[in-house]
Amino acid sequence: MAKKTNIEGIDENFIINSFRQDDLTLPPSARATESPTDEAAAPEPLPPEEQREEPRRRKTRNKEQDYGALFLKEATIPARIGKTVYVRKEYHERIQLILRVIGKDEVSLFSYIDNVLAHHFDTFQEDIKKLYEQNNNLF
């Protein structure tokens, strides 16, 4: 049985915004860990040289399908069949926090990363194939 975690002292906005800090497509005010004081103010547009193509979003799916259904489920294969991989310390800490709070300590680190990668490959399969074919001209 999973251990109950005390979540009273957790700042949800801090956790959510911690994921946005690396997203350079968002204006700095949206990446801040503190809530904005004036919600009516529109974010300043980025100068043309800093504008980036908006990153692809996941395939259009039923809005009922949420984050938990996609990523917070156990993998179908045991972790011992996989390979060792190194992850940045800050990403490891973020994932552990997600799994502890949102996943209620019921999902393993291996399962979460496996689900994220499966979703990534499913979402970008066509792009990956095109790039592979373009760059695989050695033979």
Side-chain angles (χ1 to χ4, degrees):
M1 184 163 195
K3 178 183 168 186
K4 295 259 183 184
T5 304
N6 182 4
I7 59 172
E8 289 178 28
I10 296 176
D11 181 4
E12 299 91 6
N13 291 328
F14 175 79
I15 294 171
I16 293 169
N17 287 329
S18 70
F19 293 100
R20 295 181 180 156
Q21 290 177 0
D22 293 336
D23 188 355
L24 299 177
T25 61
L26 294 173
S29 61
R31 289 180 288 189
T33 56
E34 299 166 11
S35 58
T37 55
D38 184 11
E39 294 181 19
E44 295 179 24
L46 296 173
E49 67 272 4
E50 292 183 23
Q51 287 182 347
R52 299 175 187 248
E53 184 178 317
E54 185 170 326
R56 289 184 178 231
R57 302 291 178 207
R58 63 182 167 180
K59 291 180 180 177
T60 306
R61 297 184 183 204
N62 186 354
K63 290 193 177 206
E64 298 297 317
Q65 187 175 24
D66 63 347
Y67 185 85
L70 280 173
F71 302 116
L72 301 176
K73 59 185 178 185
E74 280 299 318
T76 57
I77 63 168
R80 68 178 182 274
I81 294 176
K83 300 287 185 178
T84 301
V85 63
Y86 294 96
V87 179
R88 292 183 198 183
K89 182 180 179 183
E90 55 267 19
Y91 290 168
H92 185 270
E93 290 169 354
R94 283 185 186 179
I95 294 169
Q96 289 293 86
L97 187 60
I98 290 168
L99 295 176
R100 199 174 315 121
V101 176
I102 301 172
K104 299 178 179 130
D105 278 334
E106 295 174 357
V107 180
S108 68
L109 180 66
F110 169 79
S111 293
Y112 180 81
I113 292 173
D114 187 67
N115 293 331
V116 169
L117 288 172
H119 180 263
H120 170 79
F121 289 133
D122 182 45
T123 303
F124 294 102
Q125 181 175 355
E126 294 303 316
D127 295 333
I128 293 169
K129 281 183 183 178
K130 285 180 194 174
L131 290 170
Y132 182 84
E133 290 171 1
Q134 289 173 358
N135 293 303
N136 190 25
N137 54 11
L138 298 175
F139 300 103

